[in-house]
Amino acid sequence: MSAPLPSFASTTPGAPMDIDPQETAEWRDAFAALVTAHGPERARFMLHELVRAAHAQQVGWRPELNTPHVNTIAASAQPVFPGDLAVEERLASLMRWNALAMVVRANKAYGELGGHIASYASAADLFEVGFNHFFRAREGLGAAQHRGDLVFFQPHSAPGVYARAFLEGFLSEADLLHFRQELTAPEQGARGLCSYPHPWSMPDFWQFPTGSMGIGPISSIYHARFMHFLTDRGLLDCAGRKVWGVFGDGEMDEPESTSALTLAAREGLDNLVWVVNCNLQRLDGPVRGNGSIVGELERLFTGSGWNVIKLLWGSDWDGLFARDVTGALVRTLGDTVDGQMQTFAAKDGRFNRDHFFGQNPELAALVQGLTDEQIDHLKRGGHDLVKIHAAYAAAAAHKGQPTVILAHTKKGYGMGAAGQGRMTTHSQKKLDDAELIAFRDRFKLPLSDEQATGLAFIKPAADSAEMQYLQARRQALGGHLPRRQTTCDTVPVPALAGYAQFALQAAGKPMSTTMAFVRLLGNLLKDATLGPRIVPIVADEARTFGMANLFKQVGIYSHVGQRYAPEDIGSILSYREARDGQILEEGISEAGAIASWTAAATSYSVHGLAMLPFFIYYSMFGFQRVGDAIWAAADQRARGFLLGATSGRTTLGGEGLQHQDGASHLAAAQIPNCKAWDPAFAGELAVIVEAGMREMLIEQRDVFYYITLMNENYAQPDLPAEAHQGVLRGCYMFNSCLRMSDGRESLISSESQVTLLGSGAILTEVIRAAEQLAAQGVTAHVISVTSWSELERDGQACASRGKATPWIAQVLQRTQGPVIAATDYVRAVPEAVRAFMPAGRRYVTLGTDGFGRSDTRAALRRHFGVDAASVAQAALAALR
């Protein structure tokens, strides 16, 4: 006998009492008559009028954001299901089995690979309706061809996507046998299937990385907005294309998942549809054990301006709702908290009859004609193909708002005692023989006991009804999906001298590298071919970085243009928004700005149109704040520029500890396809930007550049042509430092020699240190380091080849004595090249370890020991 359960009914606190039930009934009858006589549109109008009247009378009331716990789309409003329901149900069952078999096989063989069964078991039908009726693949690049929808797949459901690709013929059985075996698979003539959607690992398959919770949702929003951007600027017509995202209800707890909801509504992104798989479970237990995640999300999305469609109950429930004349069923469902709903999912029909429908006589009467088995098979909405199709069709047709479908499912659906609704279901990756046979029976799979326990994959004959239907549906929707393509035209890059002469021949003019970058960008934007492809991105800091002149030059993108006259309209730097604006100013949201950058940086593969984004931001608020998103962009093979401005721990003087960056180059060095640069001078910056544009737009390499910029003004020297190679390899001899500040030669004949390495703003301190040492009779050779990480990578590559000499060692061969390295970053940055110092030469590193401080640049550099005096002192000490 089951132990008694605690009460899970709830009441609404503070609900007003009905002091006149007869009057209340009259109002209800009047409203019902209005609906009958004039229809729902007139009824909605009257409700709006009553709300306005209540506000005018200051009644202090507003409508609730929650609707009853039933499907938004009534059974009577459902469109006719356009497919073969029986065949689609069989196909969904095959996908479930093959996905399960793939994961269980891998863990039987190795026991350590992991994988997930339960998430896809809950989402399989949500995916299948999309694949069979809505998800469009790219047909080609012709004007009349559909460029494809963008689909963000729930990461833990990746096995199900592989299972479908197997039936479509895109993956082989050998591939499925190498799930999560990316290294060993090629040795056996197969391809390894990565754990989650990773474009870097499977570059012809996955489009969007979603494995890090929260990154997929925010990315999907900004991809949808970027499609509007491309259309409004006349670069590419994205009309008729959708962005679909299938995410988990637990994932909505991530701040990135919900931080841009209002932007999606404000921008009217009706090309965006989210399907939130509400299986009510996170990784360890209920999402909202003592509440309702569906109700919470409905309030969140409705309040954020989204169109909300609740997909909660399957077709078998329609009859129960029709007989629920007292509203007992609707009230009880609304009052059942998620923790109890999870228990109902994990238990059988008998339990649900006794403990759900047995709560009162009205509920019990509703299921009098149903067997326990029928009660057990009552589907939640996310498992009913007809209901799912109705919700998707409504979402696809909706105009003016983004749409979210809250789909109620069971985690581990069909896994029975092995995992359906269980607390441990997320980690379930092994099933015993009895559980496998039970799963086979539940979905009526064409497998013998031996085949089931042996985890045989199922692939019907090519001429079977299932396979012909599967192929026909995908052919009608453009072909296989997911599928990543990279075909796009190259974009010519203008000659360096044409836009960067001011930097290459600076002639000692004082400027900061930030100002040099802004000038470079302004000149590039004027290029007739490249200019329209550039996407400047800021997180509400354009004026901080001196970019206000671009407001007038190219404008700030706004889908609705500018509906106001800015207060500075008479200024030459006035704020200007325009529908064809080019700057993406994302407000105070680095997470939004990096998502926008990712959308532009992957446009070459997502849209077949190469774009070139430049995202400039406080360097401390880059890798440290949105490093996970940058890592995901690297996975997606982004191409573009990240500009870490006001960088370094001593360059940004007064701002203090949380603004002064000393470690971003460490983070950047960890990303294989990120090239990180710390140029000291405008000429170096220009050469680096030019090289990056050629790599990304002409050579079409999957790399992106991180460049740190400073806000300190100092004299900018000319950069000779012979130094360009060294700039791009990571360092070069800086010969101009061999003159004293008064113009006298400072390189004197001396037995005492040292070599000073410097980068970024600290190079100027290193140059002054060289002058101080020269005055003391010490020959100091100065090397400008433009990239510590590129020098380290070159050294590692040479070490692996066993013969070549690292570039930094080649440059140092021209010098003698101890080597002193100084940067505005932690010592670990210059420490990266210690292994490649020439034998017998002492190597000393200076950096800015510790927390930042608020003070002048001079005081900060003295405090951290990276000023000229400290560099000179370290050199003299190394000579002793």
Side-chain angles (χ1 to χ4, degrees):
M1 185 173 180
S2 299
L5 292 173
S7 171
F8 50 85
S10 64
T11 58
T12 303
M17 293 186 63
D18 189 350
I19 60 173
D20 191 343
Q22 183 176 348
E23 182 184 29
T24 302
E26 292 172 357
W27 275 86
R28 285 200 194 99
D29 292 342
F31 185 74
L34 174 68
V35 175
T36 301
H38 300 288
E41 185 173 349
R42 176 64 176 169
R44 286 192 292 269
F45 172 81
M46 289 303 297
L47 288 172
H48 286 306
E49 285 298 305
L50 288 172
V51 171
R52 281 194 284 269
H55 291 333
Q57 296 295 323
Q58 297 185 333
V59 172
W61 175 90
R62 66 183 62 190
E64 294 182 7
L65 295 179
N66 277 126
T67 56
H69 203 68
V70 296
N71 293 341
T72 300
I73 301 173
S76 59
Q78 290 173 192
V80 175
F81 186 73
D84 187 319
L85 188 59
V87 171
E88 291 194 27
E89 287 180 338
R90 290 199 297 274
L91 283 170
S93 296
L94 297 183
M95 308 299 179
R96 279 193 175 90
W97 173 261
N98 285 338
L100 177 149
M102 178 173 55
V103 175
V104 176
R105 268 178 175 268
N107 285 281
K108 274 193 172 184
Y110 298 98
E112 61 183 280
L113 295 176
H116 302 277
I117 301 170
S119 292
Y120 178 68
S122 70
D125 298 300
L126 299 173
F127 284 159
E128 283 307 299
V129 171
F131 277 123
N132 288 324
H133 301 283
F134 293 96
F135 299 164
R136 295 288 300 268
R138 186 194 297 182
E139 297 171 354
L141 298 181
Q145 293 175 304
H146 198 285
R147 296 233 172 179
D149 294 334
L150 284 54
V151 185
F152 289 75
F153 292 99
Q154 188 180 20
H156 293 126
S157 294
V161 182
Y162 293 141
R164 170 170 262 273
F166 167 59
L167 290 193
E168 290 183 17
F170 200 79
L171 296 177
S172 69
E173 183 170 325
D175 299 332
L176 265 59
L177 289 171
H178 289 87
F179 175 62
R180 293 192 171 194
Q181 299 164 63
E182 297 177 61
L183 300 179
T184 56
E187 300 170 0
Q188 300 177 32
R191 69 182 301 177
L193 305 183
C194 51
S195 55
Y196 305 122
H198 294 304
W200 188 264
S201 300
M202 297 178 67
D204 62 339
F205 193 90
W206 295 113
Q207 264 196 320
F208 305 108
T210 56
S212 185
M213 298 287 100
I215 301 300
I218 191 172
S219 184
S220 71
I221 290 174
Y222 281 89
H223 270 284
R225 201 280 294 269
F226 189 69
M227 290 165 71
H228 276 197
F229 174 85
L230 292 176
T231 300
D232 289 342
R233 298 203 66 246
L235 296 170
L236 185 70
D237 185 3
C238 294
R241 299 171 65 195
K242 293 286 185 183
V243 179
W244 296 85
V246 183
F247 309 117
D249 47 358
E251 187 174 1
M252 293 300 106
D253 284 345
E254 291 284 5
E256 294 90 347
S257 294
T258 57
S259 64
L261 296 185
T262 55
L263 176 137
R266 186 169 65 247
E267 296 282 328
L269 299 182
D270 53 12
N271 60 338
L272 176 65
V273 180
W274 279 13
V275 182
V276 179
N277 178 17
C278 297
N279 58 35
L280 313 186
Q281 288 187 245
R282 292 188 301 225
L283 309 187
D284 294 330
V287 176
R288 295 290 184 269
N290 296 307
S292 168
I293 187 61
V294 170
E296 181 180 322
L297 292 178
E298 182 182 20
R299 293 191 298 273
L300 173 66
F301 282 94
T302 300
S304 299
W306 286 53
N307 173 45
V308 179
I309 297 175
K310 292 199 292 189
L311 170 62
L312 305 181
W313 310 109
S315 300
D316 293 340
W317 288 81
D318 289 341
L320 299 179
F321 286 121
R323 297 197 298 273
D324 180 30
V325 294
T326 66
L329 179 57
V330 175
R331 287 194 303 272
T332 305
L333 289 172
D335 288 340
T336 303
V337 295
D338 286 355
Q340 189 61 38
M341 196 69 78
Q342 180 190 5
T343 299
F344 293 142
K347 302 298 183 180
D348 60 15
R350 184 75 236 179
F351 182 94
N352 280 273
R353 180 190 296 277
D354 293 342
H355 294 94
F356 180 78
F357 292 105
Q359 294 180 76
N360 59 60
E362 294 169 298
L363 292 179
L366 290 177
V367 293
Q368 277 184 346
L370 300 182
T371 66
D372 290 346
E373 184 180 14
Q374 287 175 314
I375 292 175
D376 190 42
H377 286 182
L378 286 172
K379 289 181 179 179
R380 295 183 178 179
H383 302 306
D384 188 308
L385 301 182
V386 174
K387 297 291 187 183
I388 297 169
H389 180 272
Y392 282 20
H398 189 76
K399 300 297 182 184
Q401 293 172 287
T403 293
V404 61
I405 298 170
L406 303 178
H408 193 193
T409 66
K410 293 181 181 180
K411 193 159 188 174
Y413 178 65
M415 292 172 64
Q420 180 171 287
R422 305 283 175 175
M423 294 292 189
T424 58
T425 190
H426 184 78
S427 301
Q428 190 75 32
K429 45 189 170 283
K430 294 182 180 180
L431 282 79
D432 61 28
D433 289 353
E435 291 165 342
L436 291 169
I437 290 173
F439 191 94
R440 176 204 64 185
D441 294 342
R442 170 67 178 81
F443 292 105
K444 301 179 175 61
L445 296 164
L447 294 168
S448 66
D449 287 358
E450 184 179 4
Q451 289 173 318
T453 57
L455 295 165
F457 293 120
I458 306 173
K459 187 170 186 178
D463 60 355
S464 66
E466 291 84 0
M467 293 296 283
Q468 289 187 336
Y469 185 91
L470 177 92
Q471 300 293 356
R473 292 309 310 144
R474 285 315 310 162
Q475 185 177 0
L477 291 170
H480 173 72
L481 188 148
R483 181 179 57 193
R484 181 178 178 273
Q485 301 179 60
T486 59
T487 302
C488 70
D489 293 334
T490 60
V491 180
V493 174
L496 178 61
Y499 63 88
Q501 193 65 21
F502 76 94
L504 300 174
Q505 302 294 324
K509 180 180 179 181
M511 74 177 82
S512 69
T513 51
T514 297
M515 289 301 98
F517 163 72
V518 173
R519 187 169 173 182
L520 283 172
L521 182 63
N523 290 344
L524 288 170
L525 285 166
K526 295 173 184 176
D527 185 81
T529 303
L530 175 63
R533 303 293 187 95
I534 292 175
V535 186
I537 302 172
V538 290
D540 197 48
E541 291 166 330
R543 295 185 192 275
T544 301
F545 303 133
M547 298 173 64
N549 62 307
L550 297 182
F551 293 165
K552 277 289 184 71
Q553 182 179 337
V554 295
I556 300 164
Y557 171 70
S558 168
H559 185 57
V560 297
Q562 190 162 20
R563 296 175 172 176
Y564 61 92
E567 62 82 21
D568 60 351
I569 194 169
S571 166
I572 60 171
L573 302 179
S574 64
Y575 202 80
R576 184 175 75 89
E577 299 185 64
R579 186 161 184 167
D580 63 349
Q582 198 161 350
I583 302 171
L584 293 176
E585 186 153 15
E586 303 299 3
I588 305 176
S589 172
E590 284 81 11
I594 194 65
S596 208
W597 179 85
T598 301
T602 57
S603 177
Y604 74 95
S605 65
V606 175
H607 306 293
L609 181 75
M611 301 293 287
L612 189 67
F614 290 84
F615 172 27
I616 183 169
Y617 55 88
Y618 270 63
S619 66
M620 188 67 159
F621 304 150
F623 287 91
Q624 178 156 314
R625 178 168 289 186
V626 292
D628 194 13
I630 296 174
W631 183 261
D635 188 351
Q636 200 176 330
R637 297 172 173 258
R639 301 173 184 172
F641 290 88
L642 297 175
L643 292 308
T646 59
S647 65
R649 188 146 284 163
T650 69
T651 307
L652 184 62
E655 291 287 309
L657 186 151
Q658 290 193 1
H659 284 67
Q660 293 169 342
D661 165 35
S664 65
H665 276 282
L666 281 183
Q670 300 174 57
I671 302 177
N673 53 338
C674 173
K675 293 189 174 184
W677 308 90
D678 188 31
F681 298 121
E684 296 172 355
L685 171 65
V687 169
I688 291 166
V689 170
E690 197 258 355
M693 292 192 298
R694 291 190 178 278
E695 270 200 281
M696 299 172 207
L697 298 176
I698 297 176
E699 299 170 22
Q700 298 195 4
R701 296 187 60 205
D702 296 344
V703 298
F704 64 98
Y705 279 29
Y706 173 59
I707 306 175
T708 42
L709 305 174
M710 282 71 70
N711 66 337
E712 180 181 3
N713 289 317
Y714 46 76
Q716 299 287 330
D718 296 346
L719 182 72
E722 59 268 22
H724 289 201
Q725 179 192 22
V727 168
L728 297 178
R729 296 198 66 174
C731 69
Y732 66 99
M733 290 294 300
F734 184 72
N735 295 325
S736 63
C737 72
L738 303 179
R739 292 185 177 277
M740 301 281 283
S741 57
D742 61 3
R744 293 181 294 110
E745 292 289 338
S746 65
L747 178 57
I748 62 176
S749 176
S750 171
E751 294 183 1
S752 297
Q753 294 191 36
V754 297
T755 303
L756 307 181
L757 308 183
S759 68
I762 300 304
L763 180 60
T764 61
E765 300 290 338
V766 168
I767 293 170
R768 282 193 285 271
E771 295 171 350
Q772 293 175 15
L773 290 168
Q776 299 179 59
V778 177
T779 300
H781 302 279
V782 174
I783 294 175
S784 175
V785 176
T786 54
S787 177
W788 298 98
S789 56
E790 287 302 294
L791 290 175
E792 193 271 341
R793 288 172 180 172
D794 172 71
Q796 294 290 354
C798 290
S800 67
R801 290 193 294 267
K803 293 183 178 180
T805 302
W807 176 252
I808 189 170
Q810 293 182 45
V811 175
L812 287 171
Q813 284 174 353
R814 300 162 56 190
T815 69
Q816 298 179 30
V819 181
I820 315 299
T823 79
D824 215 3
Y825 300 89
V826 295
R827 289 178 56 248
V829 173
E831 282 289 332
V833 301
R834 177 178 291 276
F836 314 113
M837 292 295 111
R841 296 182 66 174
R842 187 176 179 187
Y843 185 53
V844 179
T845 57
L846 306 178
T848 56
D849 296 63
F851 286 124
R853 298 288 193 276
S854 294
D855 214 308
T856 64
R857 293 190 184 106
L860 290 170
R861 289 171 183 169
R862 186 168 57 249
H863 168 76
F864 285 108
V866 293
D867 62 340
S870 298
V871 174
Q873 184 179 2
L876 292 172
L879 284 168
R880 296 191 186 104

